[in-house]
Coordinates of all heavy atoms in Angstrom, one line a residue:
Chain A
S10 N 20.1 22.0 -4.7 CA 20.3 21.5 -3.3 C 19.1 21.7 -2.5 O 18.5 22.7 -2.5 CB 21.5 22.1 -2.7 OG 22.7 21.8 -3.4
A13 N 19.0 17.4 3.0 CA 19.5 16.0 2.8 C 19.1 15.4 1.4 O 19.5 14.3 1.1 CB 19.0 15.1 3.9
D14 N 18.3 16.2 0.7 CA 17.7 15.6 -0.5 C 18.1 16.3 -1.8 O 19.1 17.1 -1.8 CB 16.2 15.5 -0.3 CG 15.8 14.6 0.9 OD1 16.4 13.5 0.9 OD2 15.1 15.0 1.7
E61 N 1.1 21.1 -11.6 CA 2.1 20.8 -10.5 C 1.9 19.4 -9.9 O 2.8 18.6 -9.8 CB 2.1 21.9 -9.5 CG 2.7 23.2 -10.1 CD 2.9 24.3 -9.1 OE1 2.2 24.3 -8.0 OE2 3.6 25.3 -9.5
D66 N 2.8 13.4 -9.6 CA 2.2 12.1 -9.9 C 3.1 11.4 -10.9 O 3.3 10.2 -10.8 CB 0.8 12.2 -10.4 CG -0.2 12.5 -9.3 OD1 0.2 12.6 -8.1 OD2 -1.4 12.7 -9.6
N69 N 6.3 10.3 -9.3 CA 6.1 9.2 -8.4 C 5.7 7.9 -9.2 O 6.1 6.8 -8.7 CB 4.9 9.5 -7.4 CG 5.5 10.3 -6.2 OD1 6.6 10.1 -5.8 ND2 4.7 11.2 -5.7
S76 N 11.2 1.2 -8.5 CA 11.3 0.5 -7.2 C 10.7 -0.9 -7.3 O 11.2 -1.9 -6.8 CB 10.5 1.3 -6.1 OG 10.4 0.6 -4.9
P110 N 24.5 2.4 -8.8 CA 23.5 3.4 -8.4 C 23.8 4.0 -7.1 O 24.2 3.4 -6.2 CB 22.2 2.6 -8.3 CG 22.5 1.1 -8.3 CD 23.9 1.0 -8.9
E113 N 18.7 5.5 -3.6 CA 17.3 5.1 -3.9 C 16.4 6.3 -3.7 O 16.5 6.9 -2.6 CB 17.0 3.9 -3.0 CG 15.6 3.4 -3.0 CD 15.4 2.3 -2.0 OE1 15.7 2.6 -0.8 OE2 15.1 1.2 -2.3
F119 N 6.2 17.9 -2.6 CA 5.6 19.2 -3.0 C 6.6 20.3 -2.7 O 6.3 21.5 -3.0 CB 4.3 19.5 -2.2 CG 3.3 18.4 -2.4 CD1 2.5 17.9 -1.3 CD2 2.9 18.0 -3.7 CE1 1.5 17.0 -1.5 CE2 2.0 17.0 -3.9 CZ 1.2 16.5 -2.8
T120 N 7.8 20.0 -2.2 CA 8.7 21.1 -1.8 C 9.4 21.6 -3.1 O 9.8 20.9 -3.9 CB 9.8 20.5 -0.8 OG1 9.1 20.1 0.3 CG2 10.8 21.5 -0.5
D139 N 12.7 13.0 -2.2 CA 13.2 12.5 -0.9 C 14.1 11.2 -1.2 O 13.6 10.3 -1.9 CB 12.0 12.1 0.0 CG 12.5 11.8 1.5 OD1 13.7 11.8 1.7 OD2 11.6 11.7 2.3
Chain B
Y69 N 10.1 18.6 5.0 CA 9.0 18.7 4.2 C 7.8 19.1 5.0 O 7.3 18.2 5.7 CB 8.7 17.4 3.4 CG 9.9 17.0 2.7 CD1 10.6 15.9 3.1 CD2 10.3 17.7 1.5 CE1 11.8 15.5 2.4 CE2 11.4 17.3 0.9 CZ 12.2 16.2 1.3 OH 13.3 15.9 0.6
F94 N 8.2 10.1 4.4 CA 8.1 9.0 3.4 C 8.6 7.7 4.0 O 8.1 6.7 3.8 CB 9.0 9.4 2.2 CG 8.4 10.3 1.3 CD1 8.6 11.7 1.4 CD2 7.5 9.9 0.3 CE1 8.0 12.6 0.6 CE2 6.9 10.8 -0.6 CZ 7.2 12.2 -0.4
R190 N 5.9 -2.8 -4.2 CA 7.2 -2.2 -4.0 C 7.9 -3.0 -2.9 O 9.2 -2.9 -2.8 CB 7.1 -0.7 -3.6 CG 7.0 0.2 -4.8 CD 6.9 1.6 -4.4 NE 8.2 2.2 -4.0 CZ 8.4 3.6 -3.9 NH1 7.4 4.4 -4.1 NH2 9.6 4.0 -3.5
S200 N 19.3 2.5 0.9 CA 20.5 3.3 0.6 C 20.5 4.6 1.3 O 19.8 4.8 2.3 CB 20.6 3.5 -1.0 OG 19.5 4.3 -1.4
R238 N 11.2 0.6 3.9 CA 11.5 0.3 2.5 C 10.4 0.8 1.5 O 9.6 1.7 1.9 CB 11.7 -1.2 2.4 CG 12.7 -1.8 3.4 CD 14.1 -1.2 3.3 NE 14.7 -1.5 2.0 CZ 14.9 -0.6 1.0 NH1 14.7 0.7 1.3 NH2 15.4 -1.0 -0.2
T246 N 3.8 8.5 0.0 CA 3.5 9.2 -1.3 C 2.0 9.3 -1.5 O 1.5 10.4 -1.8 CB 4.1 8.4 -2.4 OG1 5.6 8.4 -2.2 CG2 3.8 9.0 -3.8
R250 N -0.5 12.9 -1.0 CA -1.2 13.5 -2.1 C -2.7 13.6 -1.7 O -3.3 14.6 -1.9 CB -1.1 12.6 -3.3 CG -1.8 13.1 -4.6 CD -1.8 12.1 -5.7 NE -2.2 12.7 -6.9 CZ -3.4 12.8 -7.3 NH1 -4.4 12.4 -6.5 NH2 -3.7 13.3 -8.5
R266 N 1.6 22.8 1.2 CA 0.9 21.6 0.8 C 1.5 20.4 1.5 O 0.9 19.3 1.7 CB 1.0 21.4 -0.7 CG -0.2 22.0 -1.4 CD -0.4 21.4 -2.8 NE 0.6 22.0 -3.7 CZ 0.4 22.1 -5.0 NH1 -0.7 21.5 -5.6 NH2 1.2 22.7 -5.8
E267 N 2.8 20.5 1.8 CA 3.6 19.4 2.4 C 3.1 19.1 3.8 O 3.4 18.0 4.4 CB 5.1 19.7 2.4 CG 6.0 18.5 2.4 CD 6.1 18.0 1.0 OE1 6.4 18.8 0.0 OE2 6.0 16.8 0.8
S406 N 25.1 19.6 1.1 CA 24.1 18.9 0.2 C 24.8 17.8 -0.5 O 26.1 17.7 -0.5 CB 23.5 19.9 -0.8 OG 24.5 20.1 -1.8
R407 N 24.1 16.9 -1.1 CA 24.7 15.7 -1.8 C 25.5 16.2 -2.9 O 26.6 15.6 -3.2 CB 23.5 14.8 -2.3 CG 22.8 14.2 -1.2 CD 21.7 13.3 -1.6 NE 21.2 12.7 -0.4 CZ 21.7 11.6 0.2 NH1 22.7 11.0 -0.3 NH2 21.2 11.2 1.4
S434 N 28.3 1.4 -3.9 CA 28.4 2.6 -4.7 C 29.4 3.6 -4.2 O 29.3 4.1 -3.1 CB 27.0 3.3 -4.8 OG 27.1 4.6 -5.4

Side-chain angles (χ1 to χ4, degrees):
Chain A
S10 294
D14 297 312
E61 290 184 343
D66 284 358
N69 276 325
S76 171
E113 176 182 55
F119 300 135
T120 299
D139 193 350
Chain B
Y69 304 109
F94 285 91
R190 276 180 80 167
S200 70
R238 311 295 301 113
T246 297
R250 180 190 193 276
R266 269 199 279 204
E267 208 78 50
S406 73
R407 293 179 177 279
S434 172

